[in-house]
Amino acid sequence: MGEFKVHRVRFFNYVPSGIRCVAYNNQSNRLAVSRTDGTVEIYNLSANYFQEKFFPGHESRATEALCWAKGQRLFSAGLNGEIIEYDLQALNIKYSMDAFGGPIWSMAASPSGSQLLVGCEDGSVKLFQINPDKIQFERNFDRQKSRILSLSWHPSGTHIAAGSIDCISVFDVKSGSAIHKMHVDRQYMGVSKRKCIIWGVAFLSDGTVISVDSAGKVQFWDSATGTLVKTHLVANADVQSIAVSDQEDSFVVGTAEGTVFHFQLVSVTSNSSEKQWVRTKPFQHHTHDVRTVAHSPTALISGGTDTHLVIRPLMEKVEVKNYDAALRKITFPHRRLISCSKKRQLLLFQFSHHLDLWRLGSTVATGGKTSGKFLVPGKHGDTLPLSKDADHLLHLKTKVSKMPAFLRSAVQILFSEDSTKLFVASNQGSLHIFRLLEGSFKHLHTFQAQSGTVESMCLLAVSPDGNWLAASGTSAGVHVYNVKRLKLHCTVPAYNFPVTALAIAPKTNNLVIAHSDQQIFEYSIPDKQYTEWSRTIQKQGFHYLWLQRDTPITHISFHPKRPMHILLHDAYMFCIIDKSLPLPNDKTLLYNPLPPTNESDVIRRRTAHAFKISKRYKPLLFMDLLDERTLVAVERPLDDIIAQLPPPIKKKKFGT
């Protein structure tokens, strides 16, 4: 791998917002996730759980409900009383509409996907028609005495269940009238509560309504008679969420204690057709409240205050026991939050509403190998004292206000290496080039969206000489533009999985592309074809352990003096690919330790392969070369994030 000094940076004080809602779309196998700061993320579960789309949050939007509707349309609602529809192509808010019922606590789309229900603070349940361009208010249902905290449609679309405080109401959709009210007992197992909050309801085909509440209960109700059928006490704290499988043979609930419980419908006896609901599996993958859950055909999905998105596969539903069957815990965004000025030794940190600029610290020592906080002459792994601490230079909240009107918003921006040009990807699918002048700028050119699409370009890469610009969207492939001639040069052949990172190598102008399925391609921009090395690795295939990695590559760079080296990293490993060495096969140790220094060069060469991997730095949010012998690594330890969260509910341990 070579010898490097390493700036080990841990002062990026990034804390993800807690997860408030998740919504699974069975048709597209995508998962929408909303966070407490209003951020909405879209994960493509078919593309190795990649976070392919992202909508920035706003302090005025506190999302309380999220749902998919017909035609892959996504809606959210929250405490500001507005319903929002998202434009999944332009990656912005399509429109927002006031429901005129105060804060909105719940929302659900009809089984047909043509109608939308919202439950409001004033006790109203409002029905909207989903039209092609916008939703339209249709009518109110009978108003209840307290806020509507949960909603669920009967699969036939003829009735709904609404959970509020101390009560579950069943409505006839056609008339809007409440036909049953089921009152929940505030006291259970000797524990008395002032009120019982119905946090979630699920309406099954056979008329059963399942409710979860603040008394720690999961209850089954007969909606035809309005009577309680069965109760499970599962927690000493709130049960806050519920989700049912499409087959209605399984459901999952999440509790304020951080536990997720799985219920399954099983036969009473081996020879009986009678079935009953049984709590089969508890899972403890969260440290704090599980605020929301979802149920895909093959996995249980949960999220909450501890910011983790947890995807636990149902092993009996997974046909092939490969990396898809492994537990996923997604904590960090699948995009870069850090930029680096190599010559100036500066790091720019991106937060939700501001930027921080830091200058790296320094040490008087020179030479050495990979470091701890800053490494070192002589001994591998030594940490050197800093002669000068890192400096916090700037905290920037304001934004540029003089941008032209046609540039509504920027999805991605990138400077040329000589800082004379700025490349901007707009939310309309176009790419703009600006020349940077002293105190101002000049618009040079706009590349219009290809093939009539308006899909935003989420990733940009410019060649070091400034002649080539590569741009990629989530599904439109990779386009390469000639910056000098201001025209499209070529389009890289389409691939089935989204691009997670791309970069253009100096001198050769080879474009290196990483995809969410962990495949890597090298494409010659001048020759408009894949390189020989890329064809070789596609023919042989990647090592199976490489393909089993569950976090995407988020950054690619190159060694300034070693053109055969490609540097890249994900959240849990840093890798240097040496294209001059043979590729590892499945019988080779992929994560091979460095060979002993006393081994002969022949033996060292015989055991070496192209992939040199280090797992020392993690979680790794950014890593790059500052110069040919110096690396910078930005880590964000999970313990530091957990320490900044509110304290979890304390649970009694046995015998105490």
Side-chain angles (χ1 to χ4, degrees):
M1 183 175 283
E3 297 182 353
F4 299 99
K5 291 188 300 181
V6 179
H7 289 267
R8 195 169 189 178
V9 175
R10 290 192 170 187
F11 49 76
F12 180 27
N13 192 29
Y14 172 74
V15 179
S17 296
I19 293 175
R20 182 61 192 91
C21 309
V22 295
Y24 175 69
N25 187 318
N26 195 26
Q27 293 180 337
S28 65
N29 199 26
R30 281 172 169 80
L31 182 75
V33 176
S34 69
R35 296 184 180 269
T36 53
D37 64 351
T39 296
V40 173
E41 303 157 351
I42 310 293
Y43 292 83
N44 186 342
L45 304 193
S46 299
N48 206 5
Y49 304 90
F50 178 59
Q51 184 192 102
E52 65 179 9
K53 299 178 190 291
F54 166 77
F55 299 87
H58 193 275
E59 53 192 10
S60 66
R61 295 199 302 267
T63 304
E64 286 292 325
L66 191 68
C67 74
W68 295 92
K70 186 179 181 180
Q72 310 300 312
R73 296 172 68 176
L74 180 65
F75 296 88
S76 73
L79 301 185
N80 63 358
E82 292 182 342
I83 303 170
I84 292 173
E85 182 174 2
Y86 297 88
D87 189 325
L88 300 182
Q89 292 292 316
L91 299 184
N92 62 1
I93 292 175
K94 190 174 180 180
Y95 63 86
S96 61
M97 176 184 291
D98 197 323
F100 296 102
I104 299 173
W105 292 95
S106 53
M107 179 170 59
S110 65
S112 66
S114 60
Q115 293 175 304
L116 192 69
L117 278 176
V118 296
C120 303
E121 173 74 19
D122 64 359
S124 63
V125 177
K126 297 176 181 290
L127 181 66
F128 291 81
Q129 191 71 29
I130 302 176
N131 297 322
D133 56 341
K134 201 172 184 180
I135 61 173
Q136 182 178 355
F137 175 74
E138 195 166 321
R139 67 175 183 274
N140 286 315
F141 287 11
D142 289 349
R143 180 170 293 188
Q144 305 302 295
K145 293 182 179 179
S146 59
R147 64 183 61 152
I148 306 299
L149 293 157
S150 50
L151 290 167
S152 179
W153 289 78
H154 186 272
S156 67
T158 58
H159 296 82
I160 66 161
S164 55
I165 297 175
D166 294 331
C167 178
I168 302 167
S169 301
V170 177
F171 292 88
D172 179 88
V173 173
K174 190 174 182 179
S175 66
S177 301
I179 57 175
H180 283 298
K181 287 184 181 292
M182 300 174 284
H183 294 276
V184 180
D185 192 353
R186 296 183 180 184
Q187 186 168 349
Y188 190 80
M189 298 293 286
V191 178
S192 180
K193 298 212 171 196
R194 288 181 298 172
K195 56 186 177 181
C196 187
I197 302 170
I198 313 302
W199 288 118
V201 289
F203 213 150
L204 305 186
S205 299
D206 65 359
T208 300
V209 174
I210 309 173
S211 67
V212 297
D213 60 42
S214 58
K217 304 190 300 291
V218 176
Q219 294 188 306
F220 298 82
W221 305 82
D222 186 335
S223 65
T225 60
T227 56
L228 178 65
V229 177
K230 193 171 184 179
T231 297
H232 290 265
L233 181 65
V234 299
N236 294 318
D238 297 47
V239 184
Q240 297 181 310
S241 49
I242 180 172
V244 181
S245 68
D246 285 346
Q247 292 75 28
E248 297 186 356
D249 59 355
S250 169
F251 71 87
V252 58
V253 300
T255 75
E257 296 173 330
T259 308
V260 172
F261 291 99
H262 186 205
F263 285 76
Q264 290 179 286
L265 190 61
V266 299
S267 299
V268 176
T269 62
S270 57
N271 297 322
S272 173
S273 59
E274 183 184 355
K275 293 185 176 182
Q276 64 180 2
W277 288 102
V278 176
R279 187 178 74 188
T280 56
K281 301 170 186 173
F283 304 120
Q284 188 77 41
H285 300 303
H286 295 274
T287 58
H288 292 65
D289 300 41
V290 179
R291 299 295 303 275
T292 179
V293 292
H295 198 314
S296 80
T298 59
L300 307 179
I301 302 165
S302 56
T305 306
D306 66 2
T307 79
H308 302 308
L309 177 65
V310 176
I311 302 171
R312 183 182 180 90
L314 298 168
M315 298 303 292
E316 65 272 16
K317 299 291 181 70
V318 180
E319 295 179 2
V320 181
K321 301 299 186 288
N322 57 10
Y323 67 93
D324 284 327
L327 176 75
R328 300 292 180 106
K329 184 177 282 191
I330 301 172
T331 305
F332 299 103
H334 292 168
R335 64 187 190 281
R336 278 176 52 193
L337 300 175
I338 300 162
S339 300
C340 177
S341 172
K342 299 179 181 181
K343 293 180 181 178
R344 301 280 185 175
Q345 305 269 292
L346 301 176
L347 290 177
L348 183 67
F349 298 144
Q350 176 185 333
F351 294 86
S352 297
H353 304 293
H354 71 273
L355 301 173
D356 276 347
L357 184 67
W358 287 76
R359 178 183 288 116
L360 290 169
S362 59
T363 181
V364 294
T366 58
K369 304 179 182 178
T370 342
S371 75
K373 289 194 178 172
F374 191 36
L375 230 202
V376 305
K379 190 177 176 185
H380 175 79
D382 284 354
T383 301
L384 292 182
L386 292 174
S387 58
K388 185 178 181 181
D389 289 336
D391 291 331
H392 187 189
L393 303 177
L394 182 66
H395 179 85
L396 184 64
K397 288 185 177 179
T398 57
K399 294 182 178 183
V400 177
S401 59
K402 298 180 180 179
M403 296 302 284
F406 65 82
L407 192 58
R408 296 180 183 177
S409 64
V411 177
Q412 190 72 235
I413 62 173
L414 181 67
F415 291 98
S416 61
E417 194 161 293
D418 60 5
S419 298
T420 62
K421 293 185 180 70
L422 175 65
F423 305 97
V424 180
S426 79
N427 65 345
Q428 301 300 309
S430 55
L431 298 171
H432 306 283
I433 304 178
F434 296 90
R435 183 182 299 281
L436 301 178
L437 306 172
E438 190 68 31
S440 65
F441 57 86
K442 179 183 179 182
H443 176 243
L444 296 180
H445 187 71
T446 294
F447 294 113
Q448 297 298 337
Q450 298 298 313
S451 305
T453 66
V454 293
E455 183 186 41
S456 300
M457 297 289 108
C458 301
L459 291 172
L460 299 177
V462 63
S463 60
D465 59 16
N467 292 335
W468 306 104
L469 176 68
S472 171
T474 56
S475 61
V478 179
H479 304 293
V480 180
Y481 299 89
N482 188 317
V483 177
K484 280 190 173 181
R485 297 183 179 180
L486 299 177
K487 69 175 186 178
L488 177 67
H489 175 69
C490 64
T491 298
V492 179
Y495 187 66
N496 292 334
F497 288 82
V499 176
T500 67
L502 72 167
I504 302 174
K507 298 181 182 178
T508 63
N509 283 323
N510 288 337
L511 173 63
V512 178
I513 308 169
H515 292 270
S516 65
D517 63 345
Q518 312 300 358
Q519 296 287 335
I520 299 171
F521 295 89
E522 186 182 50
Y523 186 84
S524 171
I525 293 176
D527 297 337
K528 299 184 182 181
Q529 63 181 4
Y530 290 115
T531 65
E532 190 61 35
W533 179 82
S534 186
R535 295 177 190 276
T536 300
I537 201 167
Q538 288 302 314
K539 183 178 180 180
Q540 175 176 321
F542 285 85
H543 196 286
Y544 74 98
L545 290 177
W546 178 269
L547 298 176
Q548 286 180 8
R549 292 170 23 258
D550 60 4
T551 56
I553 293 167
T554 54
H555 184 54
I556 301 171
S557 60
F558 307 94
H559 197 289
K561 297 294 180 66
R562 298 173 183 172
M564 298 300 286
H565 286 193
I566 302 172
L567 289 72
L568 43 83
H569 74 83
D570 63 18
Y572 294 97
M573 71 91 205
F574 169 66
C575 177
I576 297 178
I577 300 177
D578 186 343
K579 296 189 294 180
S580 67
L581 292 177
L583 299 171
N585 57 44
D586 285 353
K587 295 180 180 179
T588 309
L589 286 174
L590 180 65
Y591 303 108
N592 55 341
L594 293 174
T597 55
N598 59 357
E599 291 282 8
S600 68
D601 289 342
V602 175
I603 295 176
R604 289 167 65 89
R605 190 75 181 179
R606 186 186 305 155
T607 58
H609 59 69
F611 287 66
K612 308 302 178 187
I613 297 173
S614 170
K615 290 190 171 184
R616 177 169 186 169
Y617 308 100
K618 56 186 179 183
L620 185 60
L621 299 191
F622 181 78
M623 197 162 196
D624 202 354
L625 280 170
L626 295 175
D627 56 49
E628 59 185 286
R629 297 192 62 190
T630 309
L631 286 164
V632 58
V634 181
E635 300 170 278
R636 188 59 176 143
L638 295 177
D639 289 346
D640 292 353
I641 293 175
I642 296 298
Q644 296 188 49
L645 299 179
I649 291 178
K650 292 184 177 180
K651 293 183 289 186
K652 274 190 175 183
K653 294 185 178 180
F654 181 74
T656 61

